[in-house]
Amino acid sequence: MNRNLVRRQGFTLIELLVVIAIIAILIGLLVPAVQKVREAAARSTCQNNLKQIGLAFTNHHDVYKCYPSGGLDWTATPRVWSSGTAGVGTPAVWDKQSWGWAYQILPFIEQENLWLNTNDQVVGATPTAIYYCPSVGRNPTIFDYAQGGAAANTKRSMMDYTGNGGTWGGYSSASGNALDGPIVPTTSASGRKRRIQDIVDGTSNVLLVGEKYLNSNAVNRVGPTCNDDQGYVDGWDNDTICYANGDNGNDSGTGTNAIVPQRIDLNSTGGTCGHFFGSVHTSCLVVFCDGSVHSVSYSINPVAWQRLCSIKDRQVIDMSDVN
């Protein structure tokens, strides 16, 4: 018999190992590419979320002739109603509402039924997709809420974004704030409202809402942290309001000590009480008062960052310092 005519059955061990090695190499090349595409898609969704939030602020202004307010202190947990009686009538709007801006714009992000729901616990615990950045990957996140005299078993749905309260401020809505941002406390506490014409530096030069700094406990749903425990309905507190200088008391400063946006360290469980912005992206995404979305570098000049958060410092901002 001619041995050359005998067909070999199967593969040798060496051939199998070579095939496996090639497949492993291809997977190693493919996975980073897939991750980049996935992150690009998540970043695009995050940008769109901010775009829709910015549009909601504009629509709120069209209806009420001013921006939504930042609500009242975190201890003012009950919602305010137009009738003065909880659950009766319609929810109070910007000038009297204790809950913050993220609650007040619900009718302008196609969530009017949630805005009108008469049960505070239901509203506070109901996730709203637009308030979560896919790159953080925690939609939904609902934590127990046991502060401010809240009823037992109260839950709160969290949020990955925060409003600009100006250059400096703190937890009290009645005092200790610069009140030079596009969002101010409810009129009963601040004595003012914020209109587009008040933004003398121009809507294209002032930050409105941006991503919020979180730590790994919040991202991984381990439990609530200082600026991530009272949810998106929260009033004037670091869950929903941040400042250029962070939690800087009455130190208005010159901008040199401003706390620029921080890159979120997914391995860090460090404190988050600083009232500052942050992101898991390679830069922090924000929406300006004109509705345009920008990426703010973590290495932005502190002076430029301070100017970006003020509506009336009358200082020129070089946008090359921002993007």
Side-chain angles (χ1 to χ4, degrees):
M1 178 182 295
N2 188 342
R3 294 181 180 276
N4 293 331
L5 299 178
V6 178
R7 290 188 176 182
R8 185 177 61 186
Q9 300 295 320
F11 296 96
T12 66
L13 178 59
I14 293 177
E15 289 173 331
L16 285 173
L17 291 174
V18 170
V19 171
I20 292 172
I22 293 173
I23 293 174
I25 292 172
L26 291 175
I27 292 175
L29 294 173
L30 183 61
V31 168
V34 171
Q35 290 175 335
K36 287 182 179 179
V37 171
R38 185 175 298 169
E39 167 56 17
R43 183 183 177 91
S44 178
T45 299
C46 190
Q47 290 174 317
N48 185 63
N49 288 348
L50 286 165
K51 185 73 174 180
Q52 294 305 313
I53 290 171
L55 181 61
F57 268 75
T58 299
N59 289 337
H60 184 284
H61 194 286
D62 288 344
V63 173
Y64 297 110
K65 310 308 177 187
C66 67
Y67 279 154
S69 73
L72 295 175
D73 299 348
W74 63 271
T75 54
T77 52
R79 218 177 347 167
V80 177
W81 289 78
S82 58
S83 65
T85 301
V88 179
T90 57
V93 293
W94 60 274
D95 57 340
K96 297 181 178 65
Q97 185 55 254
S98 63
W99 283 8
W101 63 266
Y103 168 72
Q104 294 173 36
I105 67 170
L106 286 178
F108 304 100
I109 56 172
E110 300 182 344
Q111 293 291 337
E112 185 170 12
N113 288 337
L114 182 59
W115 180 70
L116 287 169
N117 190 293
T118 58
N119 189 316
D120 281 6
Q121 295 203 43
V122 169
V123 178
T126 301
T128 302
I130 198 174
Y131 291 151
Y132 290 99
C133 175
S135 294
V136 179
R138 62 176 195 150
N139 181 13
T141 296
I142 301 171
F143 290 140
D144 291 331
Y145 175 69
Q147 300 185 57
N153 300 316
T154 298
K155 307 287 185 181
R156 284 288 187 263
S157 177
M158 300 297 113
M159 179 170 65
D160 295 338
Y161 304 107
T162 184
N164 173 23
T167 53
W168 56 269
Y171 298 92
S172 172
S173 62
S175 61
N177 293 277
L179 298 180
D180 59 352
I183 303 175
V184 294
T186 295
T187 303
S188 61
S190 66
R192 63 188 71 190
K193 60 183 177 181
R194 186 64 78 225
R195 303 163 299 172
I196 286 180
Q197 55 264 43
D198 297 325
I199 305 174
V200 297
D201 288 351
T203 57
S204 62
N205 295 306
V206 177
L207 186 153
L208 179 60
V209 173
E211 294 183 277
K212 179 174 67 177
Y213 183 81
L214 303 167
N215 67 15
S216 63
N217 282 344
V219 173
N220 296 322
R221 302 186 182 93
V222 173
T225 58
C226 185
N227 71 341
D228 201 56
D229 58 353
Q230 293 165 110
Y232 79 91
V233 299
D234 194 18
W236 197 261
D237 185 45
N238 56 353
D239 271 37
T240 57
I241 294 293
C242 288
Y243 312 98
N245 283 22
D247 184 21
N248 214 26
N250 291 322
D251 178 15
S252 59
T254 61
T256 55
N257 296 318
I259 302 177
V260 299
Q262 305 293 303
R263 180 74 180 269
I264 293 175
D265 181 356
L266 296 180
N267 297 312
S268 171
T269 58
T272 59
C273 276
H275 278 103
F276 50 88
F277 295 81
S279 174
V280 296
H281 301 298
T282 54
S283 57
C284 186
L285 299 178
V286 302
V287 62
F288 284 12
C289 293
D290 67 348
S292 61
V293 177
H294 299 264
S295 297
V296 177
S297 170
Y298 300 120
S299 60
I300 184 174
N301 185 297
V303 174
W305 173 245
Q306 177 113 358
R307 292 175 179 176
L308 191 64
C309 291
S310 172
I311 66 168
K312 55 182 181 180
D313 61 7
R314 299 183 183 275
Q315 299 296 314
V316 176
I317 298 175
D318 185 346
M319 292 306 294
S320 66
D321 290 334
V322 176
N323 298 307

